[in-house]
Amino acid sequence: MKHLTFLFTATLAGLISAAAADPTPVHVTIHGDQPGKPVSPLLYGIFFEDINYAADGGLYAELVQNRSFEYYGPKQPSLFAWETVERQGMTCKPKANIAQPMHVNNPTYVTLILTGTSGEAGLANLGYDGGLPLKQGATYDFSIHARRTKGEPAPLRVALEAPDGTVLGRAEVPAPGTAWKKLTATLTPTRDEPLARLVVTCASPGELHLDMVSLFPRDTFKGRPNGLRKDLAQAIADLQPKTVRFPGGCIVHGNGLANAYRWKDTVGDVAQRRPNNNRWGYHQTYGLGYFEYMQFCEDIGATPVPILPVGVSCGFHAPFQVAVGEALQPWIQDVIDLVEFANGPVSSKWGRVRADMGHPAPFGLKMIGLGNEEHDTEAFRRIFPLFADALRAQHPEIQIVGTSGLGEGVPLFDLMKQCRTAISDEHYYNKPEWFLENHQRFDTWPRTGPKIYVGEYAARGNSLFNALAEAAYLTGIERNADHVIMTAYAPLLARYKFTQWNQANLIHFNDAQVVLTPNYHVQRLFGNHLGNRYLPNTVTLADGSPALSGNIPLLAVSPTLAESAGRIYLKLVNPTENPLSARIEFKGLGKIQTQAEATVMAGAREAANNQKQPDFIAPVSSPLAVGSTFTYAVPPMSVQIINLRTEK
Ligand code: AHR
């Protein structure tokens, strides 16, 4: 009794700092005998934005940085990530050039002025972090666009070199002529090298013009050309996401209207895509563009949720810009045309573009997001209905995902309701305590109005405690997954040393490593174990009172039934440092098979994974004897899924 008094009076801080000697008894009663709410099959998804080098230098498998000499950094230095190579007497003067480019969308190229009667000279690319990572025996596809205006024609020499100059692979491409031409070769390194350079030289003096210098691993995710880095894509696929929200995020509306993400710039031949300044301060090649996003969705069985800008710029970035009058029409047309690109017949303009890129069949786009986390302005309130009405008029089959605006106060939700959007997208990055205190947020949420998409959220940290706060919140969402139909953690990817978002990210990586956070493991566990019916339940202390401290759950619980598989996924989250003894009772579910499996992730509150100990916090599975009633010892600071079978 003393212990119970302690539970009721302690703050969460007190609870989590004072480990109790004896496990607290908790009763979990699961009512298969009561009708449960349906669970949205789309509940767990991902949000992908090119922040923290998530696309270029990340998921997009291209190894050459600044391949098209268009680099948009703060100073737009065309030769960023390149250095001059001069050997055995030949010299090279590189300069950015724009006369007679290979394509209007790719206006800058490099001209090499080569001087000397012997030796070779040219350029070397340095990759994203001091070198290009190479694997022994793997195939790499090299390509370059080139022409020569002065000097005797001569082949280009291509080499993969270690930092000390050792050549790990070599090829030649035929001598460039006077017109732009794409030249290709394949290379196979003789050993692993984490910091290689791609060296392109020529032994004939004169003037050479080069553009779109690319080195791509053949072994991409699902073997797609112009595809995705395999290990990162696989880590994402392992989440089994049911939706992919892309391409942002703030990059959608950009720093200003000229910087917004326009999907038409990102499709077609990669050499003819118009790159852009990334709102997060680096260069976007758009090599990973709308086609590649939709193909990835198809490859992992996820529904695409593209987010389009609605003619207003990012509210965080002054001056706020708005497209008005005639100038608004192209923004609306982009939305309409996207449906044609994704779903239109091959005979249509944009359906043809898709088919020419290798996908004549429609992608089956079902949803479009209009705007990202917009600020509550008069301009947005005026513009948004124009977009929603135009899309609905031309494509009533497409579900509109609106934006509730910034934060849990959902300032634009009323507008979304008024505009009858099918879904409204809300975002919040809050402390773990907020997620624990608000796990009941949707219990009383009115079921009228748009369905809810929690399209960006994170508990601002990658420790176990942050992950458990998110897990506890998700149990509340599962309880309301008839109305909250989609979720996505944010941001998804972060390259070590190249982050703009430092609070928390789901997956950290560099060229050599992919480090999964405890938050990732929660997403994976929850996304991989979701039934179609939520089973009503009560979670009480020994005296029958709810197992809460204030609003904070001492044990957050979510049982869902996968009817066709005959499985119950019972999620239990203990966000405190107290061990619990849970008496679990199933009612109205027939016989439960005695052999179940428990997958548990537990540890110290601040424990996290890092490059030295990437698997320090990770789930562990083991068999568990269960029945219609059983007792389960819930470790402190833990999340677990008990995977049970019902007997048919
Ligand atoms: O996820 C990082 C950023 O957070 C997104 O770009 C934006 O939508 C939100 O403010």
Side-chain angles (χ1 to χ4, degrees), residues 47 49 51 249-251 280 316 372-373 427 429 456 490-491 501:
F47 162 54
E49 176 175 26
I51 184 173
C250 287
I251 67 165
W280 296 106
F316 287 116
N372 166 64
E373 199 183 277
H427 298 172
Y429 298 89
E456 291 183 30
W501 193 268

Side-chain angles (χ1 to χ4, degrees), residues 263 267-268 290-291 294 336-344 348 350-351 353-355 357 363:
W263 71 265
V267 297
Y290 259 65
F291 179 90
M294 290 199 185
I336 307 299
D337 289 344
L338 179 62
V339 184
E340 187 175 291
F341 174 74
N343 296 349
S348 65
W350 290 106
V353 174
R354 183 192 70 239
M357 292 183 76
F363 277 120

Side-chain angles (χ1 to χ4, degrees), residues 21 30 114 242 414 424 459 520 537 586 640:
I30 295 158
L114 304 175
K242 302 301 181 294
D414 66 315
S424 193
Y520 170 94
N537 57 83
F586 291 96
Q640 43 261 293

Side-chain angles (χ1 to χ4, degrees), residues 42-216:
L42 299 181
L43 194 59
Y44 292 104
I46 59 161
F47 162 54
F48 184 93
E49 176 175 26
D50 192 1
I51 184 173
N52 306 322
Y53 285 65
D56 290 302
L59 186 60
Y60 185 49
E62 173 66 83
L63 295 178
V64 173
Q65 182 165 209
N66 190 20
R67 66 184 175 190
S68 69
F69 305 98
E70 307 288 340
Y71 196 87
Y72 283 101
K75 292 191 186 137
Q76 206 170 324
S78 304
L79 285 167
F80 182 78
W82 292 95
E83 69 182 23
T84 307
V85 175
E86 297 177 326
R87 286 171 184 167
Q88 296 101 36
M90 185 158 292
T91 62
C92 172
K93 272 205 188 112
K95 63 167 193 183
N97 204 343
I98 52 168
Q100 295 177 285
M102 54 177 287
H103 193 270
V104 65
N105 286 344
N106 188 353
T108 312
Y109 57 92
V110 68
T111 295
L112 305 184
I113 301 168
L114 304 175
T115 318
T117 49
S118 64
E120 59 178 339
L123 290 179
N125 190 263
L126 307 175
Y128 280 89
D129 190 11
L132 292 74
L134 300 179
K135 291 244 172 309
Q136 178 185 4
T139 303
Y140 292 85
D141 290 309
F142 169 82
S143 63
I144 192 167
H145 288 65
R147 70 186 170 104
R148 174 182 277 276
T149 46
K150 285 186 190 158
E152 288 301 309
L156 301 183
R157 298 174 179 173
V158 186
L160 301 174
E161 295 184 359
D164 66 0
T166 307
V167 175
L168 309 173
R170 205 192 277 286
E172 266 193 4
V173 297
T178 52
W180 284 111
K181 189 169 180 198
K182 182 175 180 182
L183 306 163
T184 61
T186 57
L187 294 106
T188 304
T190 48
R191 65 165 164 82
D192 285 0
E193 173 53 59
L195 294 172
R197 301 190 323 158
L198 170 69
V199 181
V200 181
T201 56
C202 186
S204 166
E207 255 181 47
L208 261 182
H209 310 281
L210 308 178
D211 208 345
M212 284 302 287
V213 188
S214 170
L215 189 73
F216 229 94

Side-chain angles (χ1 to χ4, degrees), residues 501-513:
W501 193 268
N502 295 313
Q503 301 178 351
N505 298 289
L506 201 64
I507 301 170
H508 298 257
F509 68 94
N510 57 18
D511 282 332
Q513 238 188 333

Side-chain angles (χ1 to χ4, degrees), residues 267-422:
V267 297
D269 180 353
V270 287
Q272 299 181 5
R273 298 184 191 178
R274 192 181 67 85
N276 201 356
N277 175 17
N278 185 316
R279 182 239 179 276
W280 296 106
Y282 54 101
H283 181 74
Q284 286 177 106
T285 65
Y286 286 154
L288 169 51
Y290 259 65
F291 179 90
E292 291 77 18
Y293 280 121
M294 290 199 185
Q295 184 173 252
F296 183 47
C297 289
E298 195 169 80
D299 283 344
I300 61 175
T303 296
V305 187
I307 304 298
L308 275 83
V310 290
V312 293
S313 63
C314 179
F316 287 116
H317 200 92
F320 181 59
Q321 295 175 325
V322 186
V324 286
E326 293 267 290
L328 189 60
Q329 195 46 41
W331 299 83
I332 296 178
Q333 197 58 45
D334 278 0
V335 177
I336 307 299
D337 289 344
L338 179 62
V339 184
E340 187 175 291
F341 174 74
N343 296 349
V346 175
S347 55
S348 65
K349 177 180 169 192
W350 290 106
R352 179 80 255 158
V353 174
R354 183 192 70 239
D356 288 347
M357 292 183 76
H359 202 289
F363 277 120
L365 181 68
K366 296 188 188 79
M367 294 178 188
I368 288 188
L370 297 176
N372 166 64
E373 199 183 277
E374 304 297 340
H375 286 223
D376 186 0
T377 59
E378 179 281 322
F380 179 75
R381 284 184 176 268
R382 179 167 37 78
I383 276 180
F384 184 84
L386 305 176
F387 280 80
D389 290 350
L391 179 55
R392 204 171 358 243
Q394 296 220 31
H395 290 290
E397 76 283 8
I398 298 291
Q399 288 190 299
I400 298 175
V401 181
T403 168
S404 288
L406 186 57
E408 67 273 16
V410 291
L412 291 168
F413 184 69
D414 66 315
L415 178 68
M416 299 305 123
K417 210 169 163 181
Q418 205 180 305
C419 292
R420 295 177 294 111
T421 66

